[in-house]
Amino acid sequence: MLHDEITDPWPFGDDADRDDPLTAHRIAVTTSHPDWAYLVAFDRGSEARPTDRETAMLASYLDEWKTRWYNTSYLAHMGRRLLDVDGGANGVVFHKFGENDWGYRRRSHRMGYLFSVVPPHMRDRYSDGLPGPMSLEALMDHMRDSLAGGPAREWLDWKAAHPEVFGG
């Protein structure tokens, strides 16, 4: 057997919800601190679920990330599992507090607020985190701009090429 041959289609155990509808989009539904290094995950402890449009945005964000950072060989390797995992990537866990109110945490995040956006119950006391509420698209824009050190041209181009998801 080759070292990258994957025989168990669901090796994640209880770490991710196998039957969640988001799994069909390769989005792990897990905890805020998953055991596996998912590229994109949704926190099952969220107060609200993504809408259909937000689900499309999450899936598109994942597709853009994979297109931007992975070659076809590694994409084929990841594609052998039902969820995208890369131990060398700083994956993201999205959390939905409520309507148009999203936060995120990177896998490497170890200090400060659990999620980047200050939770609703703390917003009146703390202003040093990202203000909220933020729509999912605004949050994704912020995330990509932060990584790029300014406006993320590749992300803006991706969104423009996918008006069915991001509204043109």
Side-chain angles (χ1 to χ4, degrees):
M1 176 167 70
L2 296 173
H3 81 286
D4 68 344
E5 186 177 336
I6 298 167
T7 57
D8 181 0
W10 195 259
F12 312 109
D14 292 337
D15 191 50
D17 299 343
R18 183 179 193 148
D19 297 322
D20 192 284
L22 292 175
T23 302
H25 301 279
R26 302 185 66 82
I27 300 163
V29 177
T30 185
T31 68
S32 61
H33 293 77
D35 294 331
W36 286 74
Y38 308 109
L39 294 182
V40 172
F42 177 74
D43 180 15
R44 70 170 65 106
S46 292
E47 292 80 358
R49 293 283 302 182
T51 63
D52 290 345
R53 182 167 187 260
E54 290 167 337
T55 296
M57 286 183 193
L58 291 168
S60 189
Y61 183 90
L62 174 61
D63 288 344
E64 190 275 339
W65 191 263
K66 292 189 312 188
T67 300
R68 180 164 159 70
W69 294 107
Y70 295 100
N71 63 35
T72 55
S73 174
Y74 201 77
L75 286 171
H77 169 74
M78 282 196 303
R80 292 185 188 107
R81 289 196 172 123
L82 296 174
L83 298 171
D84 297 309
V85 175
D86 178 4
N90 193 10
V92 61
V93 178
F94 288 94
H95 183 96
K96 186 172 182 182
F97 298 109
E99 184 177 345
N100 287 317
D101 195 356
W102 285 80
Y104 77 98
R105 72 173 293 277
R106 291 272 178 205
R107 190 167 154 244
S108 63
H109 184 90
R110 298 289 179 247
M111 296 173 50
Y113 301 108
L114 176 60
F115 294 100
S116 62
V117 174
V118 177
H121 69 278
M122 297 173 67
R123 289 183 188 150
D124 61 337
R125 294 178 292 182
Y126 300 96
S127 61
D128 56 341
L130 284 177
M134 292 181 80
S135 71
L136 180 58
E137 184 174 358
L139 182 70
M140 289 176 171
D141 291 348
H142 168 78
M143 293 166 59
R144 293 306 306 276
D145 290 351
S146 293
L147 288 174
R153 180 82 272 164
E154 299 88 1
W155 175 242
L156 295 174
D157 292 345
W158 178 271
K159 286 176 34 177
H162 296 86
E164 72 283 4
V165 176
F166 295 101

